[in-house]
Amino acid sequence: MPKKKTGQRKKAEKQKERQREIRLAHLERNVADRPCNLLMECDQCKRKQKNRAFCYFCQAVQRLPVCAHCGKQKCMKSSDCLVRHPGTHVTGMAMVGAVCDFCEAWVCHGRKCLQSHACTCPLQDAICQECNRDVWDHGGRVFQCSFCTNFLCEDDQFEHQASCQVIESDSNKCGSCNKLGQYSCLRCKMCYCEDHVRRKGIKYNKGVDIPCPKCGHNTKETVNLAMSVRKYEYGRQGLDHDDEEGDDSYNYYGAGYASYPTGGKYDEDDNDDDDESDTDTGEDDQDQDQEK
């Protein structure tokens, strides 16, 4: 039998786990709270935007830049600085040391910031899920969806999160069998039952979210989400109309006037021809009556 853990060993293991959580705490911070994604107001054009080295609209340089890694505006007396300034506190361009290629923000001349920011920048793969724009293509801040954790720009964040809880199937059943899906993956938009969400030969910790067997994203229980299924739009507006001509033609279930040569649209010329033919036949009938 294994030896029973002593109180001192239990205390040491708890302290080790706590130190590990402290070291990884900066990786679990929200993207909106990172210094490289702070809200900045330009000194020249007074427009609000993401923290940048140069203004996105007027290309002006900020008077008091903010470090993208540590978030400071003033460099104090420190031995970590690569540019020595003994006895003085520096601000502005005297504090900066580089520009990040990913987040387009200033990095101070501290050794730790210059060595570690480029490798740990949270906006390395910050491409919007909706419009496919990166940091250099829009001036707003970058956010993450609270459901699928994909990057979103400031223009599409509310629209995406309002329609994110949708399953790409006709029901909430498991994608591998016909059972009810108890777990849902909000990234690949699929449901899994208790049997197919777990992989064979893998041990799962109790109390931890089970990763998706397809994409590896953490799954959530379907009962705790407001999930909706894929829907189909029926009716006269089920198909797209021709917006160039600007007519509001009726199209019941997409096949209302499909037999017409005009492509499902009502033609006024055909109606005029029918009216003329009706009047011609009416005059002929009157002539025949008079002859009799």
Side-chain angles (χ1 to χ4, degrees):
M1 292 180 64
K3 294 183 179 180
K4 188 177 180 180
K5 294 182 180 180
T6 61
Q8 186 176 3
R9 185 179 178 183
K10 292 180 180 179
K11 185 177 180 181
E13 289 180 355
K14 289 182 179 179
Q15 185 178 4
K16 184 178 179 180
E17 183 67 22
R18 179 59 180 165
Q19 291 177 354
R20 178 177 173 274
E21 293 177 357
I22 293 174
R23 289 195 301 268
L24 299 177
H26 69 281
L27 299 177
E28 299 178 357
R29 291 176 59 188
N30 192 5
V31 180
D33 299 334
R34 298 296 185 99
C36 60
N37 199 26
L38 293 177
L39 185 63
M40 181 190 76
E41 184 177 355
C42 179
D43 298 333
Q44 302 294 331
C45 61
K46 304 298 180 181
R47 291 188 178 183
K48 294 182 179 180
Q49 55 194 293
K50 191 190 77 66
N51 183 20
R52 295 176 178 273
F54 307 96
C55 178
Y56 181 80
F57 302 99
C58 63
Q59 304 298 323
V61 181
Q62 293 301 107
R63 186 175 61 87
L64 294 175
V66 179
C67 178
H69 188 76
C70 60
K72 63 182 180 182
Q73 287 184 327
K74 179 187 291 186
C75 185
M76 312 298 286
K77 305 174 184 178
S78 176
S79 60
D80 189 39
C81 300
L82 296 179
V83 180
R84 300 294 181 180
H85 48 91
T88 58
H89 303 327
V90 295
T91 58
M93 295 303 296
M95 185 199 70
V96 301
V99 179
C100 180
D101 292 335
F102 303 111
C103 60
E104 197 186 354
W106 291 111
V107 181
C108 68
H109 56 221
R111 186 185 301 273
K112 180 181 178 181
C113 297
L114 290 175
Q115 289 180 350
S116 59
H117 177 74
C119 300
T120 61
C121 182
L123 303 182
Q124 292 182 6
D125 301 325
I127 299 177
C128 181
Q129 182 70 14
E130 296 292 333
C131 59
N132 295 327
R133 294 185 300 174
D134 56 358
V135 179
W136 293 79
D137 294 335
H138 64 92
R141 301 169 66 193
V142 180
F143 299 91
Q144 274 185 316
C145 179
S146 57
F147 303 110
C148 61
T149 65
N150 286 322
F151 287 102
L152 299 171
C153 65
E154 195 169 1
D155 300 329
D156 299 327
Q157 59 163 333
F158 296 108
E159 183 179 357
H160 173 83
Q161 293 188 94
S163 61
C164 185
Q165 299 186 67
V166 178
I167 297 297
E168 295 295 334
S169 62
D170 298 336
S171 63
N172 289 330
K173 294 182 179 181
C174 178
S176 301
C177 63
N178 202 25
K179 295 181 181 179
L180 184 64
Q182 301 178 4
Y183 298 91
S184 300
C185 177
L186 293 170
R187 179 166 291 182
C188 59
K189 310 299 182 184
M190 292 185 64
C191 290
Y192 300 96
C193 62
E194 185 69 28
D195 300 331
H196 291 96
V197 74
R198 302 177 186 271
R199 294 182 178 180
K200 295 182 179 180
I202 299 178
K203 184 179 179 181
Y204 297 96
N205 297 326
K206 188 176 181 180
V208 181
D209 294 336
I210 302 175
C212 176
K214 183 179 179 180
C215 63
H217 182 66
N218 292 334
T219 59
K220 302 292 183 181
E221 292 188 7
T222 310
V223 296
N224 297 332
L225 300 172
M227 300 300 296
S228 59
V229 297
R230 182 174 54 187
K231 63 179 180 179
Y232 299 94
E233 295 182 357
Y234 297 101
R236 67 178 184 87
Q237 295 181 356
L239 300 177
D240 296 334
H241 299 300
D242 193 0
D243 296 335
E244 295 180 357
E245 297 181 2
D247 56 343
D248 297 332
S249 59
Y250 288 89
N251 192 350
Y252 293 98
Y253 299 96
Y257 296 98
S259 60
Y260 277 75
T262 57
K265 298 181 178 59
Y266 183 76
D267 196 353
E268 296 180 357
D269 297 336
D270 295 340
N271 190 15
D272 296 339
D273 296 339
D274 295 339
D275 295 340
E276 292 177 359
S277 61
D278 293 339
T279 54
D280 294 340
T281 55
E283 293 176 356
D284 295 338
D285 294 338
Q286 292 178 0
D287 296 337
Q288 292 177 2
D289 294 339
Q290 292 176 0
E291 291 177 359
K292 291 179 180 180

